[in-house]
Amino acid sequence: GAARRPPAAAGGGGGGSWRPRRPPLQRRGPSGGSGSGSNYGARQGGRADGGFDVGAQGPGVAGGGGQPGPRPGRPRRLAQRLQLRAAQAAAYGRAVAAAYLSPKSAAYLGVGVGAVLVAYDVGRFCVASVRPDTLSRISKLLSSTSEAGAEDAIGGEPTVIYDVKGRVVATLQGESTCLNDVSDHMWTAVVAAEDRRFFFHPGVDIRGLARAVLTLGTSGGGSTITQQLVKNMLLSQDRTITRKLVEMGLALAVERRLTKPQLLEEYLNNVYWGHGIYGVTSAAAAFFRKTPRQLTLGEASLLAAMLPAPESLSPYRSATAALRARSSVLKRMVDTGYISDDEREAVEKQGMPSTLALSPGAALLDGTAPNAGAGLGVTPYRAPFFVSEVLFQLRDLCGEYMARRGGLAIHTTLDLSLQERAEQLVREDGERPPRGTPSEAGEAVLVAIEPQSGAVRVVVGGRDFGSSPYNRAVLAKRSPGSAFKPVVYLAALAEGAVTPTTLLEDEETQFDTKDEYTPQNFYRKFSGTVSLRDALAYSLNVPTVKLADMIGIDRVKHMARRMGITSELPTVLSLSLGACEVAPMEMASMYATIASGGIYSKPHLVTRVNDKRGNILYRHRGQRRAAVPEEACREVHKMLRLAVTKGTGRAAAKGWQSSNVAGKTGTSDDYRDAWFCGYSPNLATVVWVGNDDNQPLLGAGATVAAPLWAKFMRTAQGSGVSVEKAGATSRRRTSRWRDKR
């Protein structure tokens, strides 16, 4: 080796800067010496000399030499091999660093990496928090010396959500109130729960930060009320070091400009209490039908207990969790000296405040009731599932700052009267299910979309928002079963491979796949030679799978994507029978595309958002495109029409004028999901029924979901939604849902 080196590097001295181009990793033989043969010794032993230590010393190996012991079993050999590879990779990395990086270069590299991380953190902060008016808002807040100035800088206006006819659906933030008009129990409970040293620190609590670091956040995040106010009103919720540092700096600056009572007042007027409720005035009215001055100790401590997690600790969702959190707040109030221990015990003995217990669903407050911890069964505003989805989308549409600031006028596609009637029908269907008892009815979802525009008119995500606010309409992914079949027929007709009169054999067939797929029909019987029209109308499985196999499952997936299915779809033949998981909103979009003659319109809930000065912050721009050939849609419509009149969906046409409706039932394996998806020319509606825990239902889509679908469509028809052809009633349809803004 020395003969190859430059003269300056051959000896031990010299000032040459030569370094090897690659670390000399050596392989060792069984005896520990160097060699180019087996590396078994390297797996079993350590280093003998001069090389890299790439493994722990194994049995029978002393100092890297000696003979290896008995070969271990296969699992152990595999683990040792993995350890060896990891050790070799680490050794190679150390060797590269030693060969190519001098201490000075390593320092430069460390500084560079640190600078990149800092730049990334600052960039995230700027993207999430910095807006064109950020500096002016900060300057206005810091220069505020009066209550009016602070309110102008931070906000306090209510956000109002309107339906398509201009009716008020929800007011999400109430008027600002002075601290003198707030019950002492209210502000002391908030201080004890959120920042017990609020009146003693300058805006940043060093003790609280140290406690949060030492306990890894289990005892709280260390943010003061002032920091929370700055974050909520001026910054974002993005967790970056830069945001935290800016937040602390602004908190110190704000404390120098505003008094403690002013800061506490602004915090109470702008803090979020869940369910879209901002401010203590709205919270007191929504939960207890009171003003902030009228709140008792039990009521105030319950509101303060919700602040760490307003949605999950809401009594509308879990009375048990809310009472547990309130008990913790009461103990903190005793520790800070705001109340006595006797007062705490008296409040805890009373349980949930009686003012809240007088609301509908109060029976759930009884600790012995089966669903006592589930929630109260009431909601703080109308159309709660629709409003909750609007609030979720609002931050993407207008930005997080504007969503929190308030003062917005949000105009939506909701038909409030139709929504409330749908909620009533879904609730009554659970109380008097077609089969079984109410406890066996399961949950239900109903979504209705206007096909021509994609405007979402109704969103019901469950039987009762108060008991379960989980919005299954957009979040739950369930197997659609046979309701997915129209996609297969549309794909085949669009390809021109078949016609509605094409004949297929409905017989037991084993398809040549990895798992030797052999589908069965619902009734375990076969019909022989059938046309495509009858195969879809009577929901025959084998002809549908044959059709998918004929055109290729990739074409089926492509067609589903074009019709609004965004969930992941497997590349298997059973997809043709609904072996996938999709949300009800996606299924409604798919059937709306068929109803509109193959034109896909992206579903939307919000049409326009204005700020308090009337400026337009967001306006919906319709996204329409041709997804399916019109002729293919026309033929599939005839098949789905036949399914309603003579096939599996006959229950959907009973009891009302249904001359132009069409649809399809769907039932997943073991009766876990029941669907009916259908439409009239002016309204596409999807009904899903099932259990959150995947327990089986007592019926299929035709017996469980179709009757509810028919009741809703009959109601929609009675309220002015025509079931006649769109071309003949376009003027009437436009009149019904014209935006009244």
Side-chain angles (χ1 to χ4, degrees):
R4 292 186 176 180
R5 297 183 181 180
S17 59
W18 178 90
R19 287 184 175 85
R21 300 187 65 183
R22 182 171 179 176
L25 287 172
Q26 299 181 6
R27 307 177 76 181
R28 304 183 179 279
S31 62
S34 299
S36 59
S38 170
N39 63 349
Y40 180 73
R43 290 197 298 269
Q44 291 291 331
R47 58 183 292 172
D49 59 335
F52 299 100
D53 188 2
V54 295
Q57 183 168 320
V61 182
Q67 297 298 322
R71 290 174 66 91
R74 184 174 180 181
R76 184 176 177 185
R77 291 201 307 272
L78 179 60
Q80 290 175 341
R81 191 176 298 114
L82 293 175
Q83 292 176 357
L84 169 66
R85 296 292 181 260
Q88 285 178 333
Y92 185 75
R94 292 194 298 268
V96 169
Y100 291 99
L101 291 179
S102 63
K104 187 175 182 180
S105 299
Y108 284 149
L109 179 62
V111 172
V113 171
V116 169
L117 294 177
V118 170
Y120 173 72
D121 193 81
V122 173
R124 283 183 57 195
F125 165 75
C126 293
V127 169
S129 297
V130 176
R131 298 287 182 269
D133 62 341
T134 297
L135 294 179
S136 63
R137 288 189 285 112
I138 294 176
S139 176
K140 190 179 295 184
L141 176 61
L142 295 180
S143 63
S144 299
T145 56
S146 65
E147 297 177 6
E151 182 179 343
D152 182 65
I154 293 177
E157 295 287 334
T159 290
V160 183
I161 295 180
Y162 301 93
D163 82 335
V164 70
K165 293 186 176 181
R167 293 170 291 194
V168 175
V169 180
T171 300
L172 304 179
Q173 183 177 2
E175 334 180 318
S176 297
T177 186
C178 296
L179 190 61
N180 292 334
D181 294 328
V182 177
S183 164
D184 288 345
H185 293 309
M186 185 70 251
W187 69 260
T188 54
V190 169
V191 169
E194 295 294 302
D195 186 6
R196 65 179 66 184
R197 299 189 67 252
F198 173 68
F199 293 102
F200 304 99
H201 60 67
V204 177
D205 188 5
I206 303 300
R207 294 185 189 178
L209 288 174
R211 183 176 61 252
V213 171
L214 294 176
T215 61
L216 300 179
T218 57
S219 63
S223 292
T224 64
I225 285 178
T226 310
Q227 287 178 256
Q228 294 181 49
L229 177 64
V230 167
K231 177 183 67 175
N232 293 339
M233 299 299 105
L234 300 177
L235 304 177
S236 72
Q237 304 299 310
D238 197 40
R239 294 186 177 183
T240 62
I241 298 176
T242 304
R243 193 223 74 197
K244 195 68 175 180
L245 295 176
V246 172
E247 172 190 303
M248 294 169 66
L250 287 174
L252 293 172
V254 167
E255 286 266 0
R256 296 177 183 175
R257 301 295 194 278
L258 302 178
T259 64
K260 291 289 186 179
Q262 286 176 330
L263 290 170
L264 186 56
E265 178 181 307
E266 293 304 327
Y267 179 81
L268 290 173
N269 281 326
N270 292 278
V271 70
Y272 183 58
W273 257 289
H275 304 293
I277 301 171
Y278 289 86
V280 66
T281 305
S282 293
F287 289 99
F288 304 109
R289 313 300 189 265
K290 290 185 175 183
T291 65
R293 183 188 290 273
Q294 297 171 328
L295 293 174
T296 65
L297 175 59
E299 297 163 348
S301 57
L302 182 63
L303 289 179
M306 294 169 55
L307 292 178
E311 301 292 352
S312 60
L313 295 178
S314 168
Y316 293 126
R317 180 168 188 175
S318 174
T320 302
L323 288 174
R324 188 185 304 115
R326 188 186 69 170
S327 178
S328 177
V329 171
L330 290 170
K331 291 178 181 177
R332 293 186 180 186
M333 294 182 73
V334 172
D335 294 339
T336 52
Y338 288 129
I339 62 173
S340 65
D341 198 56
D342 293 338
E343 290 176 298
R344 177 190 64 82
E345 292 180 357
V347 170
E348 291 191 348
K349 287 181 180 179
Q350 294 173 1
M352 193 67 71
S354 59
T355 48
L356 192 62
L358 292 175
S359 302
L364 292 177
L365 292 174
D366 183 0
T368 60
N371 297 321
L376 297 179
V378 294
T379 59
Y381 40 64
R382 305 166 80 177
F385 287 109
F386 192 99
V387 171
S388 66
E389 183 61 18
V390 168
L391 295 177
F392 178 79
Q393 296 182 7
L394 186 61
R395 296 182 181 183
D396 292 334
L397 299 179
C398 302
E400 187 168 0
Y401 166 69
M402 293 306 302
R404 284 184 168 273
R405 180 182 177 87
L408 305 179
I410 306 173
H411 301 273
T412 70
T413 61
L414 174 71
D415 186 326
L416 184 59
S417 58
L418 204 57
Q419 167 79 25
E420 294 186 332
R421 181 57 178 152
E423 292 173 358
Q424 180 183 357
L425 289 173
V426 170
R427 185 169 54 252
E428 291 176 351
D429 182 75
E431 295 171 353
R432 296 185 296 274
R435 291 189 177 184
T437 63
S439 62
E440 299 171 314
E443 282 291 347
V445 168
L446 193 152
V447 179
I449 296 179
E450 184 183 14
Q452 289 75 20
S453 64
V456 180
R457 301 303 182 192
V458 172
V459 176
V460 182
R463 301 279 190 193
D464 182 14
F465 183 88
S467 298
S468 177
Y470 179 58
N471 197 344
R472 299 163 186 82
V474 293
L475 299 177
K477 300 295 183 72
R478 308 292 299 214
S479 174
S482 295
F484 189 82
K485 287 179 179 178
V487 177
V488 180
Y489 290 79
L490 283 169
L493 291 169
E495 289 293 323
V498 294
T499 67
T501 58
T502 298
L503 299 179
L504 293 174
E505 289 296 325
D506 180 25
E507 59 187 2
E508 185 172 359
T509 305
Q510 181 174 324
F511 292 88
D512 187 14
T513 62
K514 178 187 290 188
D515 300 327
E516 297 183 348
Y517 182 47
T518 307
Q520 296 289 329
N521 288 326
F522 184 80
Y523 292 107
R524 305 289 177 177
K525 296 179 181 180
F526 299 101
S527 304
T529 303
V530 295
S531 67
L532 254 65
R533 182 181 294 111
D534 290 339
L536 182 57
Y538 294 100
S539 196
L540 302 179
N541 291 340
V542 176
T544 304
V545 178
K546 285 185 176 181
L547 195 59
D549 189 38
M550 179 190 307
I551 63 174
I553 202 66
D554 287 333
R555 285 191 172 91
V556 176
K557 292 175 61 176
H558 179 68
M559 178 60 69
R561 292 274 181 252
R562 293 187 60 81
M563 299 178 69
I565 302 296
T566 58
S567 298
E568 183 178 354
L569 301 176
T571 309
V572 293
L573 273 180
S574 56
L575 173 65
S576 60
L577 303 182
C580 59
E581 293 183 341
V582 298
M585 184 68 75
E586 297 176 70
M587 294 297 291
S589 174
M590 186 184 92
Y591 278 81
T593 302
I594 302 175
S596 63
I599 303 299
Y600 168 76
S601 298
K602 186 176 181 179
H604 63 283
L605 285 75
V606 179
T607 56
R608 193 176 76 239
V609 180
N610 297 86
D611 65 11
K612 61 182 179 181
R613 295 180 177 85
N615 301 319
I616 297 179
L617 302 179
Y618 166 80
R619 184 190 293 276
H620 173 72
R621 306 294 181 186
Q623 301 181 30
R624 290 168 54 87
R625 55 175 167 79
V628 187
E630 185 177 1
E631 181 62 28
C633 268
R634 186 179 299 113
E635 297 297 340
V636 169
H637 166 73
K638 294 178 182 178
M639 299 179 191
L640 295 176
R641 175 66 187 153
L642 185 62
V644 169
T645 56
K646 297 182 179 180
T648 58
R650 295 189 302 273
K654 291 181 179 179
W656 66 296
Q657 182 184 358
S658 54
S659 58
N660 280 293
V661 301
K664 183 73 184 71
T665 57
T667 307
S668 65
D669 291 343
D670 300 324
Y671 297 92
R672 288 192 292 264
D673 303 276
W675 298 75
F676 191 87
C677 307
Y679 56 86
S680 68
N682 297 316
L683 195 65
T685 302
V686 165
V687 170
W688 168 86
V689 180
N691 289 298
D692 292 333
D693 58 1
N694 279 322
Q695 291 297 311
L697 297 167
L698 296 180
T703 56
V704 175
L708 176 58
W709 186 91
K711 290 177 183 178
F712 171 76
M713 293 298 286
R714 183 167 63 246
T715 298
Q717 182 185 22
S719 62
V721 180
S722 176
V723 298
E724 301 301 324
K725 293 183 179 180
T729 60
S730 58
R731 180 176 300 177
R732 181 179 179 184
R733 171 173 48 81
T734 302
S735 175
R736 169 170 175 74
W737 281 323
R738 179 180 294 139
D739 198 341
K740 307 285 179 151
R741 298 164 299 207

